[in-house]
Amino acid sequence: MKSFQFTKMHALGNNYIYIDMFQEHLEEEQLATLAVQVSTVHTGIGSDGMILICPSEHAPVKMRIFNSDGSEGKNCGNGLRCVAKYAYENKLVTERVFLIETLSGLVRANVHVESGLVEQVTIDMGSPRLQQNEIPVKADDPQARLINGEMEFSGEQHYVTAVSMGNPHLIFYVDDIEQAPLTTLGPLVEKDPRFPEGVNVEFVEVVNNREIHFRVWERGSGVTQACGTGACAAVVSSVLNHHTARGKDTVVHLAGGDLIINWTEEGSVMMTGPAETVCKGTYYIKS
Ligand SMILES: N[C@@H](CCC[C@H](N)C(=O)O)C(=O)O
């Protein structure tokens, strides 16, 4: 029976099965099915998806992320922090600051090490993309931004902001995060035809100009405890909607814990937060 070694890691509860492609070989055609199988709780390992840590021609390491439904995402903030921790602790890199390639470009990781272990990671996530054709959102004017724009979902008008952090996000503001319509509006908006590639759906309650509450329905995985790119998109949206300030640290309270996000004056979105190893094991591939 074919098998591979895996590491399960999580970042604020957003958990993935990580496979070291410097050591393992998997066929491209089997990756989507494998992501579904390993993610399934009862018959697999149980996770929000699968992440490959791959060799790269442009950086010491490349990340590929598959959601639990087998679809491939182009970026994953929590995954990047875990990949950075794995790369440093497993000596795929020797420096504490290094590049990671993603399907949406290169990002810079900075690992914060205590007693030889990476506890926190800061990722320079690059600049957000705001034009509707970059998200993508179908629009009469594809170059225009969607900031606090009106959109109808199931007969109700909502004010939404669209941000790409290499992957698509749509942000809704709510008065009480505990009442956010995560499991009703989330799946409906994710698959709305106005988002040709689907969309990650985020709900935000503003606490004050340095703090927000956040919940997410992720494209391809549903409700998760945290979404790094989503938290970055929520802070960008909150600056654009004058709820928080650019160039200042904003604390994002996610279901799984806190992230510090700063959309700098220079343009980059900086994300700082933890990454943890859960366990390692052997997975036997179903034939
Ligand atoms: N959990 C992630 C994002 C994973 C990919 C996303 N569901 C997509 O399809 O774009 C994060 O931490 O950013």
Side-chain angles (χ1 to χ4, degrees):
M1 191 181 259
K2 286 194 178 151
S3 65
F4 59 81
Q5 300 302 306
F6 70 88
T7 303
K8 183 170 181 177
M9 302 181 82
H10 84 91
L12 301 177
N14 191 198
N15 60 100
Y16 292 92
I17 304 307
Y18 290 80
I19 306 172
D20 182 344
M21 299 300 283
F22 288 82
Q23 305 293 335
E24 305 290 346
H25 178 78
L26 296 169
E27 300 299 336
E28 189 62 35
E29 310 76 66
Q30 70 185 139
L31 297 177
T33 306
L34 208 51
V36 176
Q37 289 175 344
V38 299
S39 301
T40 305
V41 175
H42 294 105
T43 54
I45 306 165
S47 65
D48 294 325
M50 177 177 92
I51 290 184
L52 305 182
I53 302 169
C54 310
S56 162
E57 288 177 7
H58 309 286
V61 60
K62 174 179 174 177
M63 175 187 77
R64 285 184 70 186
I65 149 91
F66 293 82
N67 294 308
S68 58
D69 71 353
S71 60
E72 185 166 14
K74 290 192 177 140
N75 204 0
C76 177
N78 289 322
L80 282 167
R81 299 202 310 285
C82 289
V83 168
K85 175 180 171 73
Y86 184 97
Y88 185 82
E89 291 180 358
N90 290 280
K91 302 192 173 26
L92 300 178
V93 295
T94 48
E95 305 296 324
R96 292 187 180 192
V97 178
F98 53 92
L99 294 177
I100 302 176
E101 184 184 351
T102 72
L103 287 193
S104 64
L106 293 169
V107 300
R108 187 178 303 276
N110 185 347
V111 295
H112 310 293
V113 182
E114 282 171 39
S115 313
L117 293 178
V118 174
E119 300 294 341
Q120 295 271 321
V121 183
T122 300
I123 307 275
D124 178 342
M125 300 287 287
S127 297
R129 292 157 222 176
L130 298 171
Q131 292 181 187
Q132 292 180 94
N133 57 343
E134 298 174 304
I135 310 281
V137 190
K138 281 188 190 158
D140 293 339
D141 179 358
Q143 257 128 50
R145 299 169 169 198
L146 180 61
I147 300 170
N148 200 29
E150 222 175 329
M151 270 186 132
E152 189 188 305
F153 296 102
S154 338
E156 278 182 25
Q157 294 301 123
H158 293 270
Y159 289 92
V160 292
T161 298
V163 176
S164 170
M165 290 304 308
N167 58 352
H169 297 274
L170 194 70
I171 293 99
F172 293 72
Y173 287 90
V174 293
D175 293 332
D176 177 1
I177 202 69
E178 299 305 334
Q179 304 298 325
L182 251 193
T183 53
T184 46
L185 210 48
L188 199 88
V189 175
E190 177 199 357
K191 301 219 183 287
D192 188 290
R194 286 167 287 183
F195 301 93
E197 295 177 13
V199 71
N200 296 289
V201 186
E202 279 95 21
F203 297 93
V204 170
E205 177 194 331
V206 178
V207 179
N208 56 47
N209 64 358
R210 302 291 286 273
E211 224 180 315
I212 61 176
H213 288 297
F214 170 101
R215 293 291 182 274
V216 63
W217 174 275
E218 279 196 40
R219 173 178 71 167
S221 294
V223 175
T224 63
Q225 293 279 292
C227 176
T229 50
C232 294
V235 168
V236 169
S237 165
S238 299
V239 170
L240 294 169
N241 284 288
H242 312 290
H243 297 307
T244 58
R246 185 142 176 200
K248 304 274 185 217
D249 283 353
T250 298
V251 183
V252 182
H253 302 296
L254 303 100
D258 292 352
L259 279 175
I260 309 291
I261 310 286
N262 189 329
W263 184 16
T264 65
E265 298 290 353
E266 293 73 29
S268 274
V269 181
M270 307 299 291
M271 170 190 63
T272 302
E276 287 185 34
T277 304
V278 178
C279 60
K280 289 176 182 286
T282 306
Y283 181 83
Y284 297 97
I285 300 173
K286 293 170 190 36
S287 49

